Amino acid sequence: MSLDFTAINPAAARADAASHSPTGDLPSRAQYVVVGGGVIGTSIAYHLALLGAQDVVLLERKQLTSGTTWHAAGEVVSGGTTEDALWMARYSAELYARLEEETGLSTGFRQCGYLQLATSARADESLRRETAYMRSVGMTKDVLSPREVADLVPLMRTDDVVHGFWTPDEGRANPVDVTMSMAKGARQRGAQIFENTEVTDFVLDHGRVVGVRTERGDIECEKVVIAAGLWGREVAARAGVTVPLQAAEHYYLLTEPIAGVTPESVPVIEDGEAYGYYREEGGGLLVGMFEPVAKAWALDGTPRESAFAVLPPDWERMAPFLEVAMQRFPALEDAGIRTLFCGPESFTDDLSPMLGESPEVDGLYLACGLNSVGILSGGGLGHMMAQWLIEEHPPLDVTAVGVDRAHEFQATRKFREERTVQRLGFLLNDLSWPNAQNEHARDVRRSPYHPQHVADGAHFVATSGWEYPDYFAGTGLTPTVAWGFERGEAFERTREEHLQAREKLAIFDLSLMSHHLVQGPHAMAVLNRVCANDVDSAVGRVVYTQWLDDRGGIIADVTVTRLAEDQYVVVSGDTIHRRVPAWIRRQTGEGEFVTVTDVTSGHALLSVQGPRSRELLQRLSPDDWSDAAFPYLTAQKVELGYTPLWALRVTYVGELGWDLLVPTEFGATLYDQLREAGADLGFRPTGVGALETMRLEKAFRDMGHDIDSTDTPLEAGLGFAVAWDKPGGFVGRDALMKHRESGPLTSRLVNVLLGSPDHDLYGDEPVYWDDKPVGHVRSGGFGHSLGAACGIAGISRDGGITAADLAAGSFEIDVAGTRVPAQVSLKPFFDPERSRILA
């Protein structure tokens, strides 16, 4: 086969993108300013107008669709099992199907169907799990035999196919047409769209955006949303906002017409293990690639004059990946090639978009980093962002996609360059495996215990840049991990560490936890307003609490410890690190003085847990660690060996234990001392994998996994952490009171335990109550002390959910297409009376 490397000509796209935008002076003010005229920006403007906003201005630096939208492949499918992403994709399909009737401009949407291929056992299990979830929420998704796949797409090679997974009502749209139709719909409702108008800066006042600057003049405004695509990182940086986006080369090949290829004969096809996707285009085939070794583009910033960029294809780099992808259709061997197209698309380090109000600047919102799913989710995302802007709350959970999860180091040039290598391959395929880990841009943040972990044979996983041990293979051994669903070495080592911790002792490295020091004359007043629980407590008291929005939804799950009359330490998970100071700042009133200091780097948290934890700590300390002297949920300044530190008697695994806020420079020495002193007490290195399985047995919640902003403390089983009658109340109290008084809870978090040890839970498995789908597992793992997989599920039922209802019901959990009987309870299955914690 010979290839014609003539680049695709964007002139047609530019012509299609021509609009009737206002060409006169800009308005002097607007309520909402949308920065960026791709599919996301136009969708936000359209939905703002649709929801009744009367003063909307969209500013596009060049022409509508420039950047990435114009060359997108246009798939409108719903692969994956994230509830919110699925809603956005389905809404987008419905919107694109009806827009022509409203605006007179077709979106090119066609329900040609969506076929996913499983060519290995692990891919088959992944797609079976996905199918089980989608069927439980009412979608049609069929499992096809290889013969049925061949009948559906006769031109395709199927000898290696295990199963096909067919969604008949999904398909594709024309990205330019989608954008122009939404732009017209926005204008029809009063929104103004200005092309060739670059936002050069932002006007800030006391930490809030109050306007934008352009070469054509300034616009005063109340809120701004940056939907600038490839330019999102640079545009946000002008306001001092961190948005770690990076563009990468993205390729697809377009062929001349091929006999037998019609819009009806070739649906949208994904072949994950070949990192390829396919669809009909102009009577030929489009062969797209999300290669496992990708290349970053424009590391120093997208060129300012770029608009409809076409990048020179790198055939030498892409040939091996292209050859694999093309094997799926033998007819490609003799097909004429129109072009091998290469264009830039922006990606985030975790392949989730950057959405929501920035933690640095109030009123400045982001809608960037769509990771090649801008068309697929654009309609739904625009609707969600418009609601968020108008109501100041998202209608869906956004914990996993909130821009405040990002860290500043992720925007560094070196990190972006290295992390981009795996972004494309992860997106199409490797994210399917529950144990997959990034292999590039690693060893960014390491605790003082890291060298010892290496010596102990740790298998490291990373979150927020932190390297932490998942399990230990053994001294001098190299861990063996194969991505997929097989239990393997990790399962057995985690089981041993889990049981050792339950029976004797464990020391967990939790340096990844975030710590903020909150102090000042109004520290108590502000924190007590923010916290649902009462933190106006004695010095040395540890308070477990949630932070709520004014709807009563959980936005943070933290401990707050009073260190002095005017000083507290807030300990939270790493993913809401930047949310903590931003939320406190936004809740601090006029005339109140509070400072929030990030002291995470100053602490290297060790969690000493297990029945013999007290004995170990007492050996190294002159302080009294008895239950009478050191009760549960209290904190004391103590000595351990050479180290003065704060110790908090808390647990996240359901055992007697303490969290030690170890000053970082003392960490390595103290860890050595603890290991030596605990040798005869049963110490062995223990990873966070065991912590996860232990906390699931005890039903301890994890923010962003089990609980999120769509849950209230009542639904989450956390009503015990609400101080209903404390003076002054708290943010969200009124909504929570109404919820409490509205009758039986119709949505609740429950604990689940499978009736067989042969199946594993990872999350998203559907829950059936008397043969009806009522929800899904949010987090799962194997309960080694319980003898079967367990987890935390969210379920809903009209009429309410009580303990008696659960006891009387019959429950099953769908694990990859197999219904497995399960127990369901509001109480933990392990030590529900907390006797081990209070020992």
Side-chain angles (χ1 to χ4, degrees), residues 399-459:
T399 306
V401 297
V403 69
D404 54 7
R405 76 186 188 278
H407 295 265
E408 190 174 2
F409 77 87
Q410 293 165 336
T412 62
R413 190 183 194 278
K414 183 174 179 61
F415 183 89
R416 288 184 284 109
E417 180 178 20
E418 294 181 1
R419 182 52 60 89
T420 300
V421 171
Q422 283 183 290
R423 293 306 77 206
L424 276 69
F426 257 66
L427 180 66
L428 191 66
N429 186 59
D430 297 334
L431 276 180
S432 302
W433 325 129
N435 59 347
Q437 280 284 307
N438 292 298
E439 297 170 318
H440 297 264
R442 293 291 297 266
D443 286 336
V444 177
R445 306 168 82 181
R446 294 181 286 185
S447 80
Y449 321 116
H450 186 86
Q452 186 60 63
H453 296 332
V454 172
D456 291 332
H459 168 59

Side-chain angles (χ1 to χ4, degrees), residues 117-148:
L117 303 179
T119 57
S120 69
R122 66 174 186 171
D124 193 54
E125 176 161 357
S126 175
L127 289 169
R128 282 184 177 279
R129 287 175 175 271
E130 180 181 303
T131 298
Y133 176 84
M134 291 186 171
R135 286 175 171 175
S136 75
V137 296
M139 286 183 59
T140 299
K141 198 171 188 72
D142 299 323
V143 181
L144 307 183
S145 69
R147 178 69 263 167
E148 290 172 316

Side-chain angles (χ1 to χ4, degrees), residues 295-592:
K295 184 179 179 181
W297 177 75
L299 282 161
D300 296 316
T302 304
R304 185 178 179 189
E305 295 307 311
S306 179
F308 298 91
V310 180
L311 309 182
D314 184 346
W315 169 247
E316 184 177 352
R317 185 176 76 81
M318 293 304 299
F321 309 122
L322 185 59
E323 288 173 6
V324 171
M326 292 178 70
Q327 290 172 7
R328 183 57 58 198
F329 282 86
L332 287 169
E333 183 64 29
D334 300 317
I337 305 302
R338 287 167 52 195
T339 188
L340 177 63
F341 174 76
C342 179
E345 295 195 26
S346 62
F347 295 85
T348 62
D349 84 291
D350 60 1
L351 294 175
S352 291
M354 292 285 171
L355 307 179
E357 190 172 20
S358 74
E360 298 96 337
V361 178
D362 296 345
L364 182 62
Y365 289 72
L366 284 300
C368 303
L370 271 295
N371 302 287
S372 285
V373 297
I375 307 302
L376 183 158
S377 58
L381 193 149
H383 192 295
M384 186 268 289
M385 287 300 303
Q387 279 191 259
W388 198 343
L389 289 160
I390 292 171
E391 301 172 6
E392 301 191 340
H393 297 293
L396 307 172
D397 169 51
V398 293
T399 306
V401 297
V403 69
D404 54 7
R405 76 186 188 278
H407 295 265
E408 190 174 2
F409 77 87
Q410 293 165 336
T412 62
R413 190 183 194 278
K414 183 174 179 61
F415 183 89
R416 288 184 284 109
E417 180 178 20
E418 294 181 1
R419 182 52 60 89
T420 300
V421 171
Q422 283 183 290
R423 293 306 77 206
L424 276 69
F426 257 66
L427 180 66
L428 191 66
N429 186 59
D430 297 334
L431 276 180
S432 302
W433 325 129
N435 59 347
Q437 280 284 307
N438 292 298
E439 297 170 318
H440 297 264
R442 293 291 297 266
D443 286 336
V444 177
R445 306 168 82 181
R446 294 181 286 185
S447 80
Y449 321 116
H450 186 86
Q452 186 60 63
H453 296 332
V454 172
D456 291 332
H459 168 59
F460 289 99
V461 294
T463 180
S464 300
W466 283 105
E467 296 288 334
Y468 64 92
D470 183 44
Y471 71 90
F472 291 87
T475 303
L477 299 179
T478 300
T480 302
V481 177
W483 292 354
F485 298 90
E486 295 295 326
R487 288 179 172 177
E489 175 186 89
F491 182 88
E492 183 58 30
R493 295 290 86 77
T494 298
R495 183 189 69 83
E496 294 170 357
E497 294 169 16
H498 175 122
L499 296 177
Q500 182 83 355
R502 286 273 186 247
E503 296 165 6
K504 296 180 181 179
L505 178 68
I507 302 176
F508 299 100
D509 177 1
L510 297 183
S511 301
L512 57 90
M513 299 296 289
S514 296
H515 304 78
H516 288 87
L517 195 64
V518 182
Q519 51 192 341
H522 301 104
M524 188 281 290
V526 172
L527 280 175
N528 222 25
R529 183 185 312 132
V530 167
C531 297
N533 213 338
D534 191 353
V535 298
D536 185 9
S537 55
V539 172
R541 188 69 184 172
V542 181
V543 177
Y544 173 58
T545 185
Q546 286 70 50
W547 295 359
L548 313 179
D549 58 30
D550 58 19
R551 301 171 302 174
I554 301 170
I555 62 166
D557 183 67
V558 302
T559 61
V560 179
T561 302
R562 195 168 196 170
L563 306 180
E565 288 298 318
D566 60 351
Q567 187 179 87
Y568 294 80
V569 64
V570 177
V571 180
S572 69
D574 59 290
T575 56
I576 60 169
H577 181 105
R578 292 206 297 162
R579 183 177 301 178
V580 170
W583 188 253
I584 292 174
R585 184 188 76 245
R586 288 168 180 157
Q587 300 302 322
T588 300
E590 189 73 27
E592 292 180 320

Side-chain angles (χ1 to χ4, degrees), residues 185-249:
R187 293 192 199 96
Q188 288 174 337
R189 290 178 168 81
Q192 299 183 73
I193 297 176
F194 295 87
E195 296 181 292
N196 298 303
T197 306
E198 181 179 4
V199 172
T200 58
D201 207 351
F202 298 89
V203 182
L204 307 181
D205 182 22
H206 292 88
R208 184 172 190 86
V209 66
V210 295
V212 298
R213 291 210 162 104
T214 80
E215 294 179 351
R216 298 176 60 186
D218 296 352
I219 301 178
E220 178 187 339
C221 60
E222 297 176 18
K223 293 179 182 176
V224 175
V225 56
I226 298 174
L230 295 172
W231 294 268
R233 174 166 51 86
E234 298 96 304
V235 173
R238 295 169 191 164
V241 171
T242 297
V243 184
L245 304 180
Q246 177 55 49
E249 296 179 358

